[in-house]
């Protein structure tokens, strides 16, 4: 009987610890700078965009995946969900620029 209770207790402990593990963050999350503008992409899909003059904008971001498998993130600004496109360390202003890798600005994530 003690052995069965020990096994049940062990299984409960394992299930509790496995459920409490932190979810892996999305690769786009974090704080980065592009063209002097600081972008903060939070795990809860909220953003804060801070400009050089200390004016800031709060909005949302979301990971996106196109039908052809292209993965990127859209960052909202001024009520437009698809204002910025972030893909592989570059920030773009349109999907077309992103797909053709033109006019992208390299981003630098903070450590």
């Amino acid at each position: 009987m003690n052995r069965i209770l020990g096994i049940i207790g062990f299984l409960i402990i394992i299930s509790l610890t496995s459920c409490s593990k932190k979810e892996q963050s999305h690769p786009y999350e974090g704080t980065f700078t592009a063209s002097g503008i600081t972008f903060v992409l939070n795990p809860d899909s909220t953003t804060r965009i801070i400009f050089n003059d200390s004016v800031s904008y709060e909005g949302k971001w979301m990971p996106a995946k196109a039908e052809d498998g292209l993965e990127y993130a859209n960052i909202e600004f001024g009520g437009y969900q698809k204002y910025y496109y972030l893909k592989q360390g570059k920030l773009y202003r349109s999907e077309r620029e992103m797909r053709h890798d033109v006019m992208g600005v390299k981003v630098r994530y903070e450590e």
Side-chain angles (χ1 to χ4, degrees):
M1 184 68 168
N2 285 339
R3 187 176 195 144
I4 292 173
L5 290 176
I7 291 172
I8 291 172
F10 178 74
L11 292 174
I12 289 172
I13 290 171
I14 288 179
S15 66
L16 290 176
T17 57
S18 66
C19 291
S20 66
K21 288 184 181 175
K22 183 181 174 188
E23 290 183 30
Q24 187 172 352
S25 64
H26 199 279
Y28 296 113
E29 291 174 11
T31 302
F32 63 87
T33 304
S35 299
I37 303 169
T38 302
F39 293 80
V40 180
L41 276 60
N42 298 311
D44 65 353
S45 296
T46 59
T47 64
R48 185 175 187 135
I49 301 172
I50 306 163
F51 297 92
N52 288 337
D53 58 1
S54 299
V55 172
S56 66
Y57 174 81
E58 293 184 15
K60 296 197 175 283
W61 74 277
M62 66 179 201
K65 187 171 184 176
E67 291 179 10
D68 61 359
L70 179 67
E71 293 185 25
Y72 56 95
N74 278 125
I75 303 171
E76 171 193 345
F77 181 72
Y80 297 98
Q81 177 60 45
K82 297 179 179 179
Y83 194 85
Y84 291 110
Y85 293 78
L86 178 62
K87 182 186 112 188
Q88 297 176 343
K90 288 187 180 179
L91 190 66
Y92 302 91
R93 286 293 313 279
S94 73
E95 184 175 356
R96 182 177 180 170
E97 290 175 358
M98 178 187 65
R99 288 187 171 277
H100 296 286
D101 192 21
V102 294
M103 305 291 290
V105 177
K106 284 194 172 243
V107 302
R108 183 177 41 91
Y109 276 89
E110 293 180 5
E111 305 257 343

